[in-house]
Amino acid sequence: MSSVSVTIQELTRTVDPERRPDARGTDSAPTAAASSSTCTPDLAKSPWNFDGGAPAYGPGASMADAAPADTPRQGGIPEEYRLATDAELDARIRAAKEALGDRLVVLGHFYQRDEVVQYADFVGDSFQLANAALTKPDAEYIVFCGVHFMAETADILSREDQAVVLPNLAAGCSMADMADESSVEECWEQLMELYADEDDDGRAPVIPVTYMNCSAALKAFVGRHGGIVCTSSNAATVLEWAFERGRRVLFFPDQHLGRNTAKAMGVPLEAMPLWNPRRPLGGNTAAALQEAQVILWHGFCSVHKRFTVGQIEGARAEYPGCRVIVHPECPMEVVDAADAAGSTDFIRKAVAAATEPTTFAIGTEINMVNRLAAEYPQHTIFCLDPVICPCSTMYRIHPGYLAWVLEALVAGRIVNRITVDAATAVEAKTALERMLAARP
């Protein structure tokens, strides 16, 4: 895989909103539709500067999201890792990987910074990576350079004798935290009471569907209630599976993926009420919930929420004929205005399939956009958002943390191990296996 010479400082600088940066960090001509929002330059600091304090996601796209009190926090790491130069960390990581050999597999999410991805044995989305680990049966250690729910999924799918390690425990996900187990349980109780008197036609009154981007506890919840997990690439297939078994779907935590997928399947918007967990019946009338086909949880991705129709219009004005591709976690209006929408793997394949030089305006996390621009220099590839604002939690995985956990493994110590209790893992795996069995 090609390496992209873009520093974290370049990724996080506050950009003049009147100028659009391309994926290589240079500024192009002004665009009238440029976003006026900014992203704090504090993200350029080392992530350990934000560890150990009050629960927070840190600077970046999720910096305004409220972090739950139980948000995992990373303790301090030795000064030698915080003060080491890039070259020193590179040498130590490579030496540790060589010492561990086949006992280790390092997984890197598409959204990771290139300083980390360069050490990954596999690069992909969360579920691709969890499955990739299964192809390394000799690996005793799975080091997941991603976020917390991804490491949990890897632990659920891995063997008991394999240890899953997350280099920085503070690498969480604000979207995943927007649907907690107690709130979903309360929602479920209200819905079961509301639908208790419905005629039994052999289908459940509602089937829970959770996006992969959630805690193991919520995967277990859908597992024990006859539900299923989905990814951004198979959401339509999963919804079809759910509709065969139930009259309605409760979809969480990302409202946008649920709405965009169901709308494309022909579900009318008025049949997709939004559930606000802080209000009785989610802020809906009983009649609206009884007529509902998909009940959407009030959750979202702070990275993909930044993309706008105005950005698309600006890109097309500046680059006539450009191809606009966005992630389905973007708001409905953005997905409707784009040429195509799909998962991170869909976006990657769309770029790879272009046989003629093409201009791509992409609506997803900047690290992936930059990587595509470097891998396919025959194309012009840039991020729709003119303000470079990475995922607040993905960036917390730093080479310093990676060196720390790997050298601990060499010394025979496992730090930052992610474990899912047996009962939760069994129910969550049931939901994941249903997903794998649901094929188009």
Side-chain angles (χ1 to χ4, degrees):
M1 173 164 290
S2 302
S3 174
V4 186
S5 57
V6 180
T7 67
I8 193 66
Q9 286 81 5
E10 288 172 323
L11 287 178
T12 59
R13 60 196 175 93
T14 302
V15 179
D16 178 351
E18 293 303 315
R19 302 187 69 82
R20 174 184 298 279
D22 69 15
R24 298 170 184 79
T26 59
D27 289 336
S28 65
T31 175
S35 169
S36 60
S37 62
T38 60
C39 187
T40 173
D42 288 345
L43 185 58
K45 298 178 181 178
S46 300
W48 41 76
N49 291 339
F50 303 97
D51 292 339
Y57 298 111
S62 297
M63 60 189 177
D65 296 341
D70 61 352
T71 300
R73 281 173 270 183
Q74 173 64 45
I77 63 173
E79 186 178 64
E80 62 182 292
Y81 298 103
R82 291 184 278 115
L83 298 182
T85 66
D86 293 344
E88 290 168 343
L89 289 174
D90 178 71
R92 295 176 73 159
I93 290 170
R94 294 187 187 281
K97 285 195 66 180
E98 184 174 356
L100 292 165
D102 290 339
R103 298 168 61 202
L104 168 74
V105 59
V106 178
L107 309 177
H109 192 271
F110 281 131
Y111 294 165
Q112 283 292 306
R113 60 175 87 180
D114 289 290
E115 300 97 309
V116 170
V117 161
Q118 63 179 317
Y119 304 112
D121 299 303
F122 295 96
V123 179
D125 64 24
S126 58
F127 196 62
Q128 286 175 329
L129 292 177
N131 279 301
L134 303 181
T135 67
K136 291 288 187 177
D138 296 329
E140 299 173 38
Y141 311 116
I142 300 168
V143 175
F144 210 124
C145 297
V147 296
H148 202 274
F149 76 80
M150 300 177 185
E152 284 187 331
T153 302
D155 185 62
I156 291 166
L157 296 175
S158 64
R159 302 190 313 266
E160 290 186 9
D161 61 332
Q162 292 178 303
V164 177
V165 172
L166 183 65
N168 186 337
L169 294 179
C173 174
S174 62
M175 181 213 289
D177 290 340
M178 289 175 190
D180 63 275
E181 187 178 13
S182 62
S183 296
V184 173
E185 288 279 8
E186 173 62 25
C187 168
W188 189 255
E189 291 175 7
Q190 292 183 56
L191 293 177
M192 290 301 98
E193 182 177 354
L194 179 66
Y195 301 139
D197 296 331
E198 285 191 342
D199 294 335
D200 184 0
D201 63 355
R203 294 187 299 163
V206 60
I207 295 289
V209 175
T210 187
Y211 190 20
M212 182 68 72
N213 301 31
C214 72
S215 68
L218 289 186
K219 292 181 177 72
F221 172 90
V222 301
R224 66 177 172 269
H225 288 293
I228 189 170
V229 178
C230 79
T231 69
S232 54
S233 59
N234 70 1
T237 298
V238 166
L239 284 185
E240 289 172 357
W241 180 97
F243 283 131
E244 290 173 358
R245 291 159 177 79
R247 298 180 177 184
R248 308 169 187 84
V249 168
L250 170 63
F251 190 97
F252 54 87
D254 182 35
Q255 60 173 296
H256 300 299
L257 176 62
R259 182 180 296 108
N260 289 323
T261 305
K263 179 173 177 282
M265 295 171 65
V267 177
L269 295 179
E270 58 269 23
M272 291 190 275
L274 193 63
W275 184 279
N276 185 330
R278 288 179 284 276
R279 297 178 181 175
L281 292 182
N284 302 286
T285 64
L289 292 172
Q290 286 166 336
E291 295 298 319
Q293 294 182 46
V294 179
I295 302 166
L296 301 168
W297 195 265
H298 197 289
F300 54 84
C301 170
S302 292
V303 170
H304 292 105
K305 188 181 178 183
R306 292 179 60 87
F307 297 108
T308 67
V309 174
Q311 292 169 358
I312 294 177
E313 292 172 346
R316 287 182 168 146
E318 195 168 330
Y319 299 95
C322 71
R323 181 164 169 77
V324 179
I325 308 178
V326 302
H327 196 280
E329 290 175 15
C330 293
M332 178 184 68
E333 296 80 6
V334 174
V335 169
D336 288 348
D339 296 307
S343 66
T344 49
D345 195 49
F346 173 91
I347 295 170
R348 181 187 63 81
K349 288 177 178 177
V351 172
T355 57
E356 298 295 328
T358 305
T359 298
F360 288 97
I362 297 178
T364 196
E365 214 275 344
I366 185 61
N367 280 301
M368 181 178 177
V369 179
N370 276 324
R371 197 167 297 122
L372 288 171
E375 290 178 2
Y376 300 95
Q378 70 272 31
H379 302 311
T380 298
I381 300 173
F382 63 90
C383 184
L384 276 173
D385 187 358
V387 178
I388 307 302
C389 194
C391 174
S392 292
T393 49
M394 284 285 183
Y395 91 94
R396 283 183 176 269
I397 306 297
H398 180 280
Y401 288 108
L402 183 57
W404 172 58
V405 298
L406 291 181
E407 291 190 337
L409 293 176
V410 172
R413 294 180 293 107
I414 302 175
V415 296
N416 284 16
R417 183 171 185 174
I418 302 299
T419 57
V420 178
D421 68 88
T424 299
V426 167
E427 293 179 329
K429 192 170 184 178
T430 295
L432 288 166
E433 288 173 341
R434 287 175 186 150
M435 181 188 76
L436 291 173
R439 300 185 181 279

